[in-house]
Amino acid sequence: VCSPISFTCSIIGYMASVAHQLLGQTRSAVLSALLLRPELSLHVRELARLTGASAGSLHRELRMLAGLGLLTRQEVGRQVHYRANETN
């Protein structure tokens, strides 16, 4: 017997696994961190701590995802912050 909660958790775990396989570890971690919490605006070092990815890998992924319109990029002083693009 499958309860609705355990079924939902199972689906979420499966989708995370599929995303990891299709998108790669760094990209899926960035998308999970920002798209699931669109109110967050994070700079690269915060994302590195959160995802465990290196800053170099993150810079490359973040530029690409911002170029696709999935993320927005905002300069705040000397830091660059990224967040989910909620207008798309």
Side-chain angles (χ1 to χ4, degrees):
V1 176
C2 180
S3 75
I5 292 173
S6 66
F7 178 74
T8 301
C9 291
S10 173
I11 293 292
I12 290 170
Y14 173 74
M15 294 306 291
S17 175
V18 169
H20 175 74
Q21 293 298 316
L22 291 174
L23 303 173
Q25 183 176 356
T26 301
R27 190 171 303 161
S28 62
V30 167
L31 289 173
S32 294
L34 295 174
L35 295 182
L36 294 176
R37 294 179 222 107
E39 72 283 359
L40 287 182
S41 176
L42 301 172
H43 63 83
V44 176
R45 290 190 190 276
E46 288 174 319
L47 279 165
R49 282 191 292 273
L50 188 63
T51 63
S54 71
S57 297
L58 285 172
H59 279 292
R60 189 172 40 255
E61 292 295 337
L62 291 166
R63 277 194 302 270
M64 189 271 305
L65 293 168
L68 290 172
L70 294 172
L71 304 179
T72 60
R73 180 184 188 276
Q74 179 184 12
E75 292 184 22
V76 180
R78 295 182 56 186
Q79 296 178 343
V80 178
H81 287 240
Y82 291 90
R83 70 181 313 142
N85 185 352
E86 296 184 270
T87 61
N88 286 340

